[in-house]
Tab-separated table of all heavy atoms in Angstrom:
chain	number	residue	atom	x	y	z
A	112	MET	N	-84.599	-15.372	-35.647
A	112	MET	CA	-83.554	-15.860	-36.601
A	112	MET	C	-82.790	-16.892	-36.066
A	112	MET	O	-82.248	-16.737	-34.900
A	112	MET	CB	-82.757	-14.638	-36.979
A	112	MET	CG	-81.931	-14.839	-38.123
A	112	MET	SD	-80.839	-13.434	-38.657
A	112	MET	CE	-82.003	-12.330	-39.269
A	113	THR	N	-82.576	-18.043	-36.772
A	113	THR	CA	-81.700	-19.123	-36.276
A	113	THR	C	-80.214	-18.638	-36.238
A	113	THR	O	-79.982	-17.745	-36.903
A	113	THR	CB	-82.032	-20.439	-37.041
A	113	THR	OG1	-81.542	-20.137	-38.316
A	113	THR	CG2	-83.332	-20.768	-36.985
A	114	ASP	N	-79.410	-19.543	-35.604
A	114	ASP	CA	-77.999	-19.237	-35.619
A	114	ASP	C	-77.471	-19.230	-36.996
A	114	ASP	O	-76.584	-18.292	-37.283
A	114	ASP	CB	-77.308	-20.074	-34.711
A	114	ASP	CG	-77.587	-19.959	-33.230
A	114	ASP	OD1	-77.949	-18.747	-32.898
A	114	ASP	OD2	-77.530	-20.888	-32.550
A	115	LYS	N	-77.848	-20.119	-37.874
A	115	LYS	CA	-77.323	-20.209	-39.125
A	115	LYS	C	-77.640	-18.997	-40.007
A	115	LYS	O	-76.810	-18.490	-40.706
A	115	LYS	CB	-77.802	-21.591	-39.829
A	115	LYS	CG	-77.260	-21.632	-41.325
A	115	LYS	CD	-77.858	-22.823	-41.944
A	115	LYS	CE	-77.272	-23.083	-43.405
A	115	LYS	NZ	-76.888	-21.879	-44.141
A	116	LYS	N	-78.913	-18.470	-39.834
A	116	LYS	CA	-79.288	-17.377	-40.615
A	116	LYS	C	-78.649	-16.164	-40.124
A	116	LYS	O	-78.172	-15.279	-40.950
A	116	LYS	CB	-80.750	-17.169	-40.446
A	116	LYS	CG	-81.637	-18.216	-41.287
A	116	LYS	CD	-83.119	-17.933	-40.982
A	116	LYS	CE	-83.858	-19.186	-41.626
A	116	LYS	NZ	-84.101	-20.281	-40.828
A	117	ALA	N	-78.393	-16.112	-38.863
A	117	ALA	CA	-77.625	-14.891	-38.342
A	117	ALA	C	-76.127	-14.951	-38.867
A	117	ALA	O	-75.585	-13.918	-39.158
A	117	ALA	CB	-77.553	-15.057	-36.781
A	118	VAL	N	-75.503	-16.206	-38.795
A	118	VAL	CA	-74.115	-16.323	-39.375
A	118	VAL	C	-74.015	-15.871	-40.926
A	118	VAL	O	-73.259	-15.212	-41.305
A	118	VAL	CB	-73.637	-17.764	-39.165
A	118	VAL	CG1	-72.386	-18.007	-40.008
A	118	VAL	CG2	-73.465	-18.056	-37.666
A	119	ASP	N	-75.094	-16.393	-41.585
A	119	ASP	CA	-75.189	-16.021	-42.990
A	119	ASP	C	-75.251	-14.489	-43.217
A	119	ASP	O	-74.650	-14.093	-44.201
A	119	ASP	CB	-76.301	-16.763	-43.729
A	119	ASP	CG	-76.102	-18.247	-43.996
A	119	ASP	OD1	-74.980	-18.569	-43.696
A	119	ASP	OD2	-77.202	-18.947	-44.313
A	120	LYS	N	-76.108	-13.857	-42.312
A	120	LYS	CA	-76.271	-12.410	-42.440
A	120	LYS	C	-74.939	-11.739	-42.185
A	120	LYS	O	-74.605	-10.749	-42.906
A	120	LYS	CB	-77.390	-11.952	-41.501
A	120	LYS	CG	-77.895	-10.562	-41.724
A	120	LYS	CD	-79.024	-10.193	-40.900
A	120	LYS	CE	-79.369	-8.681	-41.140
A	120	LYS	NZ	-80.473	-8.289	-40.382
A	121	LEU	N	-74.323	-12.204	-41.148
A	121	LEU	CA	-73.010	-11.552	-40.777
A	121	LEU	C	-72.028	-11.768	-41.911
A	121	LEU	O	-71.241	-10.828	-42.223
A	121	LEU	CB	-72.446	-12.064	-39.499
A	121	LEU	CG	-73.106	-11.664	-38.229
A	121	LEU	CD1	-72.744	-12.461	-37.000
A	121	LEU	CD2	-72.970	-10.064	-37.999
A	122	LYS	N	-71.950	-12.968	-42.474
A	122	LYS	CA	-71.059	-13.216	-43.634
A	122	LYS	C	-71.312	-12.267	-44.794
A	122	LYS	O	-70.316	-11.792	-45.386
A	122	LYS	CB	-71.103	-14.680	-44.021
A	122	LYS	CG	-70.511	-15.611	-43.125
A	122	LYS	CD	-70.618	-17.088	-43.698
A	122	LYS	CE	-70.096	-18.065	-42.924
A	122	LYS	NZ	-70.278	-19.534	-43.524
A	123	GLY	N	-72.561	-12.143	-44.962
A	123	GLY	CA	-72.973	-11.149	-46.053
A	123	GLY	C	-72.456	-9.762	-45.894
A	123	GLY	O	-72.098	-9.114	-46.730
A	124	LYS	N	-72.602	-9.308	-44.644
A	124	LYS	CA	-72.210	-8.003	-44.244
A	124	LYS	C	-70.746	-7.850	-44.276
A	124	LYS	O	-70.277	-6.830	-44.881
A	124	LYS	CB	-72.597	-7.716	-42.827
A	124	LYS	CG	-74.140	-7.299	-42.582
A	124	LYS	CD	-74.392	-6.894	-41.253
A	124	LYS	CE	-75.877	-6.593	-41.079
A	124	LYS	NZ	-76.081	-5.168	-41.377
A	125	ALA	N	-70.005	-8.851	-43.986
A	125	ALA	CA	-68.555	-8.763	-44.161
A	125	ALA	C	-68.134	-8.796	-45.610
A	125	ALA	O	-67.115	-8.166	-46.023
A	125	ALA	CB	-67.911	-10.077	-43.406
A	126	LYS	N	-68.826	-9.627	-46.345
A	126	LYS	CA	-68.568	-9.718	-47.822
A	126	LYS	C	-68.735	-8.246	-48.413
A	126	LYS	O	-68.013	-7.738	-49.304
A	126	LYS	CB	-69.326	-10.672	-48.473
A	126	LYS	CG	-68.655	-11.831	-49.150
A	126	LYS	CD	-69.654	-12.658	-49.978
A	126	LYS	CE	-69.285	-14.052	-49.693
A	126	LYS	NZ	-70.225	-15.035	-50.615
A	127	GLU	N	-69.904	-7.578	-48.062
A	127	GLU	CA	-70.240	-6.376	-48.660
A	127	GLU	C	-69.217	-5.391	-48.268
A	127	GLU	O	-68.722	-4.519	-49.079
A	127	GLU	CB	-71.578	-6.039	-48.119
A	127	GLU	CG	-72.124	-4.565	-48.646
A	127	GLU	CD	-73.334	-4.113	-48.148
A	127	GLU	OE1	-74.085	-4.851	-47.225
A	127	GLU	OE2	-73.793	-3.189	-48.535
A	128	ALA	N	-68.842	-5.403	-47.002
A	128	ALA	CA	-67.872	-4.422	-46.519
A	128	ALA	C	-66.519	-4.477	-47.048
A	128	ALA	O	-65.808	-3.610	-47.575
A	128	ALA	CB	-67.546	-4.504	-45.038
A	129	THR	N	-66.079	-5.748	-47.398
A	129	THR	CA	-64.786	-6.060	-48.071
A	129	THR	C	-64.963	-5.580	-49.579
A	129	THR	O	-63.905	-5.021	-49.987
A	129	THR	CB	-64.555	-7.615	-48.014
A	129	THR	OG1	-64.531	-8.072	-46.647
A	129	THR	CG2	-63.245	-7.966	-48.715
A	130	GLY	N	-65.978	-5.923	-50.087
A	130	GLY	CA	-66.201	-5.356	-51.515
A	130	GLY	C	-66.128	-3.850	-51.646
A	130	GLY	O	-65.507	-3.294	-52.519
A	131	LYS	N	-66.613	-3.203	-50.715
A	131	LYS	CA	-66.656	-1.693	-50.673
A	131	LYS	C	-65.145	-1.180	-50.473
A	131	LYS	O	-64.847	-0.269	-51.077
A	131	LYS	CB	-67.591	-1.168	-49.601
A	131	LYS	CG	-69.021	-1.197	-49.857
A	131	LYS	CD	-69.861	-0.543	-48.866
A	131	LYS	CE	-71.291	-0.603	-49.187
A	131	LYS	NZ	-72.242	0.042	-48.110
A	132	LEU	N	-64.532	-1.866	-49.536
A	132	LEU	CA	-63.103	-1.380	-49.214
A	132	LEU	C	-62.241	-1.655	-50.413
A	132	LEU	O	-61.328	-0.815	-50.678
A	132	LEU	CB	-62.645	-2.116	-47.946
A	132	LEU	CG	-63.144	-1.672	-46.662
A	132	LEU	CD1	-62.663	-2.613	-45.614
A	132	LEU	CD2	-62.590	-0.319	-46.422
A	133	THR	N	-62.323	-2.740	-51.129
A	133	THR	CA	-61.484	-3.100	-52.255
A	133	THR	C	-61.958	-2.583	-53.482
A	133	THR	O	-61.184	-2.683	-54.430
A	133	THR	CB	-61.335	-4.589	-52.262
A	133	THR	OG1	-62.569	-5.196	-52.509
A	133	THR	CG2	-60.728	-5.167	-51.015
A	134	GLY	N	-63.169	-2.078	-53.619
A	134	GLY	CA	-63.750	-1.743	-54.845
A	134	GLY	C	-64.234	-2.746	-55.678
A	134	GLY	O	-64.466	-2.588	-56.883
A	135	ASP	N	-64.389	-4.005	-55.174
A	135	ASP	CA	-64.951	-5.067	-55.861
A	135	ASP	C	-66.490	-5.128	-55.797
A	135	ASP	O	-67.058	-5.578	-54.868
A	135	ASP	CB	-64.357	-6.282	-55.145
A	135	ASP	CG	-64.633	-7.614	-55.975
A	135	ASP	OD1	-65.483	-7.628	-56.843
A	135	ASP	OD2	-63.956	-8.691	-55.620
A	136	ARG	N	-66.992	-4.669	-56.828
A	136	ARG	CA	-68.576	-4.452	-56.880
A	136	ARG	C	-69.231	-5.820	-56.732
A	136	ARG	O	-70.213	-6.033	-56.294
A	136	ARG	CB	-68.872	-3.688	-58.085
A	136	ARG	CG	-68.373	-2.299	-58.076
A	136	ARG	CD	-68.729	-1.529	-59.416
A	136	ARG	NE	-69.746	-0.613	-59.029
A	136	ARG	CZ	-70.496	-0.008	-59.898
A	136	ARG	NH1	-70.149	-0.144	-61.235
A	136	ARG	NH2	-71.465	0.858	-59.455
A	137	ARG	N	-68.552	-6.746	-57.465
A	137	ARG	CA	-69.108	-8.226	-57.533
A	137	ARG	C	-69.254	-8.706	-55.976
A	137	ARG	O	-70.243	-9.288	-55.579
A	137	ARG	CB	-68.338	-9.074	-58.302
A	137	ARG	CG	-68.911	-10.463	-58.456
A	137	ARG	CD	-68.124	-11.244	-59.385
A	137	ARG	NE	-68.765	-12.544	-59.581
A	137	ARG	CZ	-68.636	-13.257	-60.702
A	137	ARG	NH1	-67.694	-12.953	-61.569
A	137	ARG	NH2	-69.338	-14.410	-60.850
A	138	LYS	N	-68.197	-8.633	-55.356
A	138	LYS	CA	-68.082	-9.099	-53.865
A	138	LYS	C	-69.184	-8.284	-53.062
A	138	LYS	O	-69.764	-8.914	-52.127
A	138	LYS	CB	-66.725	-8.790	-53.324
A	138	LYS	CG	-66.418	-9.443	-51.850
A	138	LYS	CD	-66.475	-10.875	-51.758
A	138	LYS	CE	-65.259	-11.454	-52.417
A	138	LYS	NZ	-65.108	-12.874	-52.245
A	139	GLU	N	-69.232	-6.951	-53.335
A	139	GLU	CA	-70.221	-6.260	-52.615
A	139	GLU	C	-71.709	-6.659	-52.816
A	139	GLU	O	-72.501	-6.902	-51.996
A	139	GLU	CB	-70.161	-4.766	-53.051
A	139	GLU	CG	-71.013	-3.779	-52.229
A	139	GLU	CD	-70.731	-2.367	-52.740
A	139	GLU	OE1	-69.856	-2.110	-53.347
A	139	GLU	OE2	-71.709	-1.428	-52.308
A	140	ALA	N	-71.983	-6.895	-54.113
A	140	ALA	CA	-73.184	-7.415	-54.561
A	140	ALA	C	-73.564	-8.805	-53.938
A	140	ALA	O	-74.634	-9.136	-53.462
A	140	ALA	CB	-73.384	-7.442	-56.074
A	141	GLU	N	-72.546	-9.711	-54.003
A	141	GLU	CA	-72.654	-11.023	-53.278
A	141	GLU	C	-72.943	-10.893	-51.769
A	141	GLU	O	-73.929	-11.579	-51.340
A	141	GLU	CB	-71.404	-11.854	-53.510
A	141	GLU	CG	-71.091	-12.390	-54.767
A	141	GLU	CD	-69.811	-13.083	-54.845
A	141	GLU	OE1	-69.131	-13.449	-53.846
A	141	GLU	OE2	-69.289	-13.402	-56.060
A	142	GLY	N	-72.488	-10.098	-51.142
A	142	GLY	CA	-72.695	-9.785	-49.697
A	142	GLY	C	-74.166	-9.289	-49.593
A	142	GLY	O	-74.817	-9.860	-48.494
A	143	LYS	N	-74.565	-8.327	-50.332
A	143	LYS	CA	-76.013	-7.974	-50.271
A	143	LYS	C	-76.972	-8.985	-50.611
A	143	LYS	O	-78.019	-9.188	-49.904
A	143	LYS	CB	-76.281	-6.830	-51.212
A	143	LYS	CG	-75.550	-5.505	-50.721
A	143	LYS	CD	-75.824	-4.358	-51.753
A	143	LYS	CE	-75.209	-3.126	-51.315
A	143	LYS	NZ	-75.278	-2.091	-52.203
A	144	ALA	N	-76.523	-9.964	-51.485
A	144	ALA	CA	-77.482	-11.060	-51.866
A	144	ALA	C	-77.519	-12.110	-50.756
A	144	ALA	O	-78.546	-12.627	-50.340
A	144	ALA	CB	-76.974	-11.698	-53.095
A	145	ASP	N	-76.332	-12.386	-50.087
A	145	ASP	CA	-76.373	-13.184	-48.993
A	145	ASP	C	-77.160	-12.734	-47.844
A	145	ASP	O	-77.876	-13.477	-47.172
A	145	ASP	CB	-74.935	-13.539	-48.287
A	145	ASP	CG	-74.094	-14.220	-49.382
A	145	ASP	OD1	-74.638	-14.840	-50.305
A	145	ASP	OD2	-72.788	-14.256	-49.057
A	146	GLN	N	-77.203	-11.522	-47.565
A	146	GLN	CA	-78.022	-10.821	-46.479
A	146	GLN	C	-79.580	-10.999	-46.830
A	146	GLN	O	-80.392	-11.323	-46.046
A	146	GLN	CB	-77.725	-9.406	-46.309
A	146	GLN	CG	-76.322	-9.050	-45.737
A	146	GLN	CD	-75.839	-7.638	-45.622
A	146	GLN	OE1	-76.457	-6.913	-44.914
A	146	GLN	NE2	-74.900	-7.264	-46.468
A	147	ALA	N	-79.852	-10.737	-48.089
A	147	ALA	CA	-81.245	-10.804	-48.396
A	147	ALA	C	-81.722	-12.303	-48.462
A	147	ALA	O	-82.852	-12.494	-48.108
A	147	ALA	CB	-81.456	-10.254	-50.055
A	148	LYS	N	-80.929	-13.227	-48.761
A	148	LYS	CA	-81.202	-14.627	-48.580
A	148	LYS	C	-81.469	-14.960	-47.126
A	148	LYS	O	-82.567	-15.689	-46.898
A	148	LYS	CB	-80.068	-15.476	-49.218
A	148	LYS	CG	-80.372	-16.949	-49.105
A	148	LYS	CD	-79.123	-17.837	-49.555
A	148	LYS	CE	-79.245	-19.211	-49.317
A	148	LYS	NZ	-78.150	-20.033	-49.524
A	149	ALA	N	-80.602	-14.562	-46.258
A	149	ALA	CA	-80.900	-14.871	-44.903
A	149	ALA	C	-82.164	-14.238	-44.362
A	149	ALA	O	-82.805	-14.871	-43.652
A	149	ALA	CB	-79.750	-14.418	-44.012
A	150	LYS	N	-82.453	-12.955	-44.807
A	150	LYS	CA	-83.592	-12.317	-44.419
A	150	LYS	C	-84.843	-12.991	-44.917
A	150	LYS	O	-85.892	-13.205	-44.221
A	150	LYS	CB	-83.602	-10.932	-44.892
A	150	LYS	CG	-84.815	-10.057	-44.331
A	150	LYS	CD	-84.658	-8.619	-44.844
A	150	LYS	CE	-85.862	-7.697	-44.385
A	150	LYS	NZ	-85.638	-6.384	-44.862
A	151	THR	N	-84.858	-13.433	-46.194
A	151	THR	CA	-85.888	-14.177	-46.780
A	151	THR	C	-86.129	-15.533	-46.136
A	151	THR	O	-87.340	-15.879	-45.777
A	151	THR	CB	-85.546	-14.448	-48.314
A	151	THR	OG1	-85.493	-13.229	-48.959
A	151	THR	CG2	-86.742	-15.189	-48.985
A	152	GLU	N	-85.077	-16.289	-45.829
A	152	GLU	CA	-85.331	-17.468	-45.159
A	152	GLU	C	-85.895	-17.405	-43.784
A	152	GLU	O	-86.719	-18.068	-43.240
A	152	GLU	CB	-83.965	-18.210	-45.011
A	152	GLU	CG	-83.387	-18.802	-46.283
A	152	GLU	CD	-81.975	-19.366	-46.245
A	152	GLU	OE1	-81.375	-19.178	-45.228
A	152	GLU	OE2	-81.647	-19.977	-47.156
A	153	GLY	N	-85.529	-16.211	-43.015
A	153	GLY	CA	-86.130	-15.880	-41.791
A	153	GLY	C	-87.578	-15.620	-41.905
A	153	GLY	O	-88.414	-16.113	-41.107
A	154	ALA	N	-87.946	-14.936	-42.916
A	154	ALA	CA	-89.367	-14.569	-43.079
A	154	ALA	C	-90.181	-15.844	-43.415
A	154	ALA	O	-91.252	-16.003	-42.956
A	154	ALA	CB	-89.552	-13.560	-44.265
A	155	MET	N	-89.502	-16.636	-44.189
A	155	MET	CA	-90.298	-17.930	-44.683
A	155	MET	C	-90.480	-18.833	-43.418
A	155	MET	O	-91.561	-19.462	-43.317
A	155	MET	CB	-89.505	-18.721	-45.643
A	155	MET	CG	-89.409	-17.945	-47.046
A	155	MET	SD	-90.906	-17.792	-47.812
A	155	MET	CE	-91.245	-19.394	-48.271
A	156	GLY	N	-89.612	-18.898	-42.600
A	156	GLY	CA	-89.617	-19.779	-41.355
A	156	GLY	C	-90.688	-19.195	-40.473
A	156	GLY	O	-91.472	-19.936	-39.853
A	157	ALA	N	-90.723	-17.786	-40.316
A	157	ALA	CA	-91.835	-17.262	-39.502
A	157	ALA	C	-93.292	-17.374	-39.996
A	157	ALA	O	-94.123	-17.668	-39.244
A	157	ALA	CB	-91.554	-15.692	-39.264
A	158	THR	N	-93.313	-17.426	-41.342
A	158	THR	CA	-94.555	-17.570	-41.971
A	158	THR	C	-95.051	-19.121	-41.777
A	158	THR	O	-96.202	-19.256	-41.477
A	158	THR	CB	-94.574	-17.340	-43.513
A	158	THR	OG1	-94.196	-16.039	-43.717
A	158	THR	CG2	-95.793	-17.639	-44.167
A	159	GLY	N	-94.151	-19.957	-41.888
A	159	GLY	CA	-94.333	-21.454	-41.582
A	159	GLY	C	-94.921	-21.654	-40.142
A	159	GLY	O	-95.890	-22.404	-39.889
A	160	GLU	N	-94.322	-20.979	-39.278
A	160	GLU	CA	-94.614	-21.087	-37.867
A	160	GLU	C	-96.080	-20.590	-37.562
A	160	GLU	O	-96.834	-21.109	-36.829
A	160	GLU	CB	-93.569	-20.321	-36.876
A	160	GLU	CG	-92.258	-21.122	-36.848
A	160	GLU	CD	-92.402	-22.444	-36.188
A	160	GLU	OE1	-93.131	-22.614	-35.162
A	160	GLU	OE2	-91.760	-23.533	-36.697
A	161	ARG	N	-96.287	-19.405	-38.199
A	161	ARG	CA	-97.580	-18.859	-38.128
A	161	ARG	C	-98.748	-19.711	-38.674
A	161	ARG	O	-99.872	-19.865	-38.151
A	161	ARG	CB	-97.740	-17.446	-38.813
A	161	ARG	CG	-97.198	-16.338	-37.967
A	161	ARG	CD	-97.529	-14.846	-38.518
A	161	ARG	NE	-96.304	-14.126	-38.345
A	161	ARG	CZ	-95.549	-13.738	-39.308
A	161	ARG	NH1	-95.906	-13.989	-40.584
A	161	ARG	NH2	-94.463	-12.939	-39.116
A	162	ALA	N	-98.339	-20.282	-39.805
A	162	ALA	CA	-99.307	-21.236	-40.549
A	162	ALA	C	-99.683	-22.383	-39.646
A	162	ALA	O	-100.804	-22.976	-39.541
A	162	ALA	CB	-98.854	-21.671	-41.814
A	163	LYS	N	-98.581	-22.924	-39.004
A	163	LYS	CA	-98.738	-24.064	-38.068
A	163	LYS	C	-99.616	-23.685	-36.822
A	163	LYS	O	-100.478	-24.496	-36.479
A	163	LYS	CB	-97.381	-24.558	-37.668
A	163	LYS	CG	-97.537	-25.924	-36.765
A	163	LYS	CD	-96.046	-26.252	-36.324
A	163	LYS	CE	-96.033	-27.462	-35.472
A	163	LYS	NZ	-96.933	-27.542	-34.468
A	164	GLY	N	-99.404	-22.507	-36.429
A	164	GLY	CA	-100.118	-21.944	-35.246
A	164	GLY	C	-101.644	-21.975	-35.570
A	164	GLY	O	-102.574	-22.355	-34.802
A	165	VAL	N	-102.039	-21.338	-36.816
A	165	VAL	CA	-103.257	-21.349	-37.250
A	165	VAL	C	-103.934	-22.689	-37.428
A	165	VAL	O	-105.041	-22.860	-36.885
A	165	VAL	CB	-103.508	-20.451	-38.619
A	165	VAL	CG1	-104.777	-20.587	-39.281
A	165	VAL	CG2	-102.987	-19.047	-38.348
A	166	LYS	N	-103.238	-23.548	-37.962
A	166	LYS	CA	-103.726	-24.907	-38.165
A	166	LYS	C	-103.990	-25.574	-36.817
A	166	LYS	O	-105.020	-26.198	-36.647
A	166	LYS	CB	-102.722	-25.771	-38.906
A	166	LYS	CG	-103.147	-27.302	-39.010
A	166	LYS	CD	-102.028	-28.060	-39.620
A	166	LYS	CE	-102.373	-29.505	-39.498
A	166	LYS	NZ	-101.479	-30.199	-38.575
A	167	ASP	N	-103.167	-25.454	-35.770
A	167	ASP	CA	-103.346	-26.061	-34.495
A	167	ASP	C	-104.493	-25.366	-33.898
A	167	ASP	O	-105.209	-26.050	-33.151
A	167	ASP	CB	-101.977	-25.827	-33.640
A	167	ASP	CG	-100.869	-26.690	-34.074
A	167	ASP	OD1	-100.998	-27.497	-34.862
A	167	ASP	OD2	-99.776	-26.302	-33.659
A	168	SER	N	-104.773	-24.073	-34.016
A	168	SER	CA	-105.901	-23.428	-33.347
A	168	SER	C	-107.229	-23.972	-34.001
A	168	SER	O	-108.245	-23.830	-33.325
A	168	SER	CB	-105.635	-22.030	-33.464
A	168	SER	OG	-105.848	-21.475	-34.741
A	169	LEU	N	-107.157	-24.357	-35.278
A	169	LEU	CA	-108.436	-24.762	-35.831
A	169	LEU	C	-108.744	-26.197	-35.795
A	169	LEU	O	-109.756	-26.547	-35.934
A	169	LEU	CB	-108.300	-24.410	-37.430
A	169	LEU	CG	-108.228	-22.956	-37.868
A	169	LEU	CD1	-108.023	-22.725	-39.230
A	169	LEU	CD2	-109.447	-22.198	-37.352
A	170	THR	N	-107.665	-26.925	-35.272
A	170	THR	CA	-108.059	-28.387	-34.998
A	170	THR	C	-108.709	-28.705	-33.688
A	170	THR	O	-108.509	-27.946	-32.814
A	170	THR	CB	-106.752	-29.263	-35.212
A	170	THR	OG1	-105.865	-28.830	-34.175
A	170	THR	CG2	-106.079	-29.099	-36.513
A	171	ASP	N	-109.446	-29.661	-33.774
A	171	ASP	CA	-110.189	-30.109	-32.532
A	171	ASP	C	-109.133	-30.592	-31.565
A	171	ASP	O	-108.141	-31.263	-31.936
A	171	ASP	CB	-111.248	-31.195	-32.796
A	171	ASP	CG	-112.146	-31.480	-31.797
A	171	ASP	OD1	-112.273	-30.736	-30.853
A	171	ASP	OD2	-112.786	-32.622	-31.825
A	172	ASP	N	-109.301	-30.354	-30.158
A	172	ASP	CA	-108.436	-30.850	-29.278
A	172	ASP	C	-108.315	-32.409	-29.168
A	172	ASP	O	-107.328	-32.956	-28.737
A	172	ASP	CB	-108.877	-30.252	-27.912
A	172	ASP	CG	-108.706	-28.855	-27.670
A	172	ASP	OD1	-107.783	-28.364	-28.345
A	172	ASP	OD2	-109.448	-28.209	-26.869
A	173	ASP	N	-109.363	-33.042	-29.683
A	173	ASP	CA	-109.291	-34.577	-29.669
A	173	ASP	C	-108.714	-35.074	-30.951
A	173	ASP	O	-108.770	-36.279	-31.245
A	173	ASP	CB	-110.788	-35.055	-29.737
A	173	ASP	CG	-111.432	-34.746	-28.257
A	173	ASP	OD1	-110.640	-34.606	-27.326
A	173	ASP	OD2	-112.572	-34.625	-28.139
A	174	ASN	N	-108.324	-34.231	-31.766
A	174	ASN	CA	-107.657	-34.508	-33.163
A	174	ASN	C	-108.505	-35.342	-34.018
A	174	ASN	O	-108.115	-36.383	-34.704
A	174	ASN	CB	-106.291	-35.246	-32.860
A	174	ASN	CG	-105.301	-34.251	-32.497
A	174	ASN	OD1	-105.276	-33.115	-32.792
A	174	ASN	ND2	-104.335	-34.873	-31.571
A	175	ARG	N	-109.838	-34.910	-34.090
A	175	ARG	CA	-110.774	-35.714	-34.879
A	175	ARG	C	-110.738	-35.245	-36.276
A	175	ARG	O	-110.569	-34.217	-36.647
A	175	ARG	CB	-112.095	-35.539	-34.406
A	175	ARG	CG	-112.419	-36.281	-33.123
A	175	ARG	CD	-113.805	-36.287	-32.631
A	175	ARG	NE	-113.741	-36.360	-31.225
A	175	ARG	CZ	-114.922	-36.362	-30.489
A	175	ARG	NH1	-116.108	-36.212	-31.112
A	175	ARG	NH2	-114.829	-36.469	-29.295
């Protein structure tokens, strides 16, 4: 997980906790959504890296 994704996840957790403490269901839901977004972006990045690795392993060393 990159630093930005980690920060986004922490912000989401803080928003969720604030929402729970104040009874603000909307803020709580926003926090959960922020966390889910960071998690999804992390998964997409990992998938892209795996795809690049497969492509690299299938290409000829001489790049023909």
Side-chain angles (χ1 to χ4, degrees):
M112 187 180 291
T113 64
D114 290 330
K115 183 183 179 327
K116 290 179 189 86
V118 169
D119 288 344
K120 188 173 180 180
L121 286 173
K122 283 181 183 178
K124 285 184 180 273
K126 240 187 227 186
E127 180 184 1
T129 301
K131 283 182 179 180
L132 284 172
T133 61
D135 186 346
R136 299 175 102 189
R137 184 177 187 159
K138 182 73 70 178
E139 184 179 347
E141 285 177 11
K143 288 180 181 181
D145 289 348
Q146 291 175 68
K148 179 183 171 193
K150 185 176 180 180
T151 301
E152 288 174 352
M155 294 296 288
T158 301
E160 289 296 318
R161 280 192 218 114
K163 185 180 181 313
V165 169
K166 178 186 169 256
D167 290 346
S168 69
L169 294 175
T170 56
D171 190 15
D172 290 335
D173 296 332
N174 288 327
R175 291 187 207 179

